[in-house]
Structure formats: C-alpha cells, structure tokens
Amino acid sequence: MRTLWMGVALVAVTLWWGPQVLAAALLKRKPGGWYVDVSRKWARSILRASGCPVVAHGREHVRPGEPLVVAANHVSWFDIFAIAASLEVPFHFVAKKELEKIPLFGPAWQAAGHISIDRSHREAAIRSLRAAGEKIRRDRSVVVIYPEGTRSRTGRLLPFKKGAFMLAVEAQVPVVPTVVTGAYEIMPPGAWRIRPNTMHVHFLPPIVPPPTVEGVETLMAQVRAEMLTVLEGEEMPPDPDDLTRAI
C-alpha cells in the first residue's frame, strides 16, 4: 500500500509542478530560486508520501553564496530525494542524460537548470561538466554529483570516476563529501517495493581542491576516505543540537 501511495504521489506532484516549470521556462523566468524551491518541494512531497523522514547533519558546511561541489554516495533513488529535501541553498544535480527521455519529468528537469551528462560520449560529458562549472561560478550555487556514476547494488561505495573532481579543480571550488545512510534499506537497485526508513544526510567539512589537475587523484582519495569514515560508522557521535530535520 505504501509503495502504491508513493507512486501516486510521484505522478501527482510531477503533473502539478512539471507544467509550471515548463511554462516558467517558456516565459523566460530567471533561473535560480523558484526552480530550486520547486525541486525541493517535489522531493519533500515524495518523501512524505513514502513515510521516509530525513535528518540532515552538518548543514552549516553548505552555506548560501558559497559555490560548492557536493559529492555523494548513490545506492537508491531515495538518496536523491533526501539530498534535494535537505539542501537549503540553490542547487543543481548532474545526472545521466537518459533522464531527459522521461515524459514531462525530463523536460522539466532541464528547464529547472539541472545538468545532464552523456556518459557514452566523452567529449560531450566534458562539455556538460564545464557547463556545470560555469553554473557554479555564475550562480554561486551548489552542484550535486555522484562520483560513482551509478547506483551501488551492494550498498558499498563503488570506485570513483574523475569527473566531479576535475570539475572542482577547474572551477576552484571546494568539495563537500556527502553521505546518505538509510536509503539502501528503503529501495535498493532492482527493488520495486518501498520499506519506510529514516535517512540521514551527512554534509562533511569542505575539502579545498588542489591548484592544478595533477592533484585530482589526491582530492579524490581524500573525499573517498571521509565518506568511508561515515559509512563504516567510525565518525564521532553528532551533537544533538547540530541535527535539523529536513522534512
């Protein structure tokens, strides 16, 4: 029943917000706040319907007006909803180009300013990442990237691809290692049934990128190590006053 209700909510909120986003784009509405607010409301509506609350930790590491690359783990569609619901600053996701083919959602995704990556063509992917870098610098916003490139089918952190870290170095913006826990238990890859669970989003302290691309491997290793610390349960217990509910 919960899975069915979540599916109905997903369709309903997409049908509600999608046409509004497309109309706003046709009317040349200025990119930024309104589109971001719609993306956040869309995610929060889905989470409410699914009965999956989110607790955000370390949101002080993602402050308004500071351009950042949020590099997150990816084990479920629900970690996307969790991050979108938790961020209180302007943000854009970088995701696979195939999302553009989804009726209504795809065009609205593009109109809202999110960025698609064509993973089958290296040059096109590089152009998309550079566009993401320009967006970060121009809007002083956050770009959310999943450096694993796909969802982990085991819940364990997959090897990273370099794109997110090349972007951070070229744009000279810090990387915020971000870990979502609890999403795999809700809906792992290949599953169709929702099992309600509380998710925790950990925004870790930003890591300043090296000045040249020669340091990309080091940056990638630093980010991975910080994420593994949380995933392996080795982090210090959070201060209760530092916890804020996203929904």
Side-chain angles (χ1 to χ4, degrees):
M1 181 60 74
R2 178 67 71 175
T3 302
L4 178 61
W5 175 240
M6 182 270 185
V8 170
L10 174 61
V11 172
V13 295
T14 302
L15 288 174
W16 172 257
W17 288 115
Q20 295 185 58
V21 169
L22 294 175
L26 287 173
L27 294 172
K28 306 296 184 183
R29 182 162 189 159
K30 185 179 178 181
W34 183 80
Y35 295 99
V36 174
D37 191 44
V38 166
S39 298
R40 189 181 297 115
K41 288 178 178 178
W42 177 81
R44 289 178 175 179
S45 296
I46 294 168
L47 290 175
R48 289 191 192 98
S50 63
C52 297
V54 180
V55 180
H57 309 249
R59 242 181 337 205
E60 74 277 5
H61 298 310
V62 186
R63 292 188 288 266
E66 292 187 9
L68 297 166
V69 173
V70 166
N73 65 317
H74 195 20
V75 297
S76 168
W77 290 115
F78 274 80
D79 50 46
I80 298 174
F81 305 144
I83 291 176
S86 299
L87 285 170
E88 297 288 358
V89 300
F91 64 87
H92 299 91
F93 278 85
V94 174
K96 60 185 180 181
K97 191 174 180 65
E98 289 80 355
L99 291 179
E100 295 178 0
K101 298 178 182 179
I102 301 175
L104 185 59
F105 173 85
W109 163 275
Q110 289 179 282
H114 300 294
I115 301 159
S116 300
I117 294 284
D118 187 349
R119 297 181 295 185
S120 63
H121 297 284
R122 184 173 181 275
E123 292 301 320
I126 291 172
R127 287 196 298 271
S128 296
L129 286 172
R130 285 178 176 160
E134 292 171 5
K135 188 179 289 289
I136 291 173
R137 290 189 294 267
R138 182 183 66 247
D139 301 341
R140 301 192 67 77
S141 62
V142 166
V143 168
V144 182
I145 303 183
Y146 296 98
E148 296 163 281
T150 188
R151 288 173 295 164
S152 170
R153 294 192 171 272
T154 64
R156 295 181 178 275
L157 202 61
L158 298 174
F160 284 174
K161 300 182 184 301
K162 291 184 179 179
F165 309 100
M166 291 292 294
L167 166 61
V169 173
E170 289 188 5
Q172 280 299 291
V173 299
V175 179
V176 175
T178 301
V179 175
V180 181
T181 60
Y184 187 80
E185 291 78 4
I186 298 170
M187 182 182 276
W192 61 270
R193 183 181 177 184
I194 294 171
R195 299 181 183 276
N197 189 40
T198 298
M199 288 180 285
H200 292 260
V201 180
H202 302 261
F203 297 109
L204 305 179
I207 298 176
V208 177
T212 64
V213 294
E214 284 73 19
V216 164
E217 295 280 355
T218 299
L219 175 62
M220 189 161 56
Q222 288 177 312
V223 172
R224 186 179 183 84
E226 293 297 325
M227 293 171 70
L228 284 172
T229 297
V230 176
L231 287 169
E232 294 170 0
E234 297 175 0
E235 82 279 17
M236 294 295 290
D239 183 338
D241 292 336
D242 188 40
L243 307 185
T244 52
R245 286 202 170 269
I247 62 171

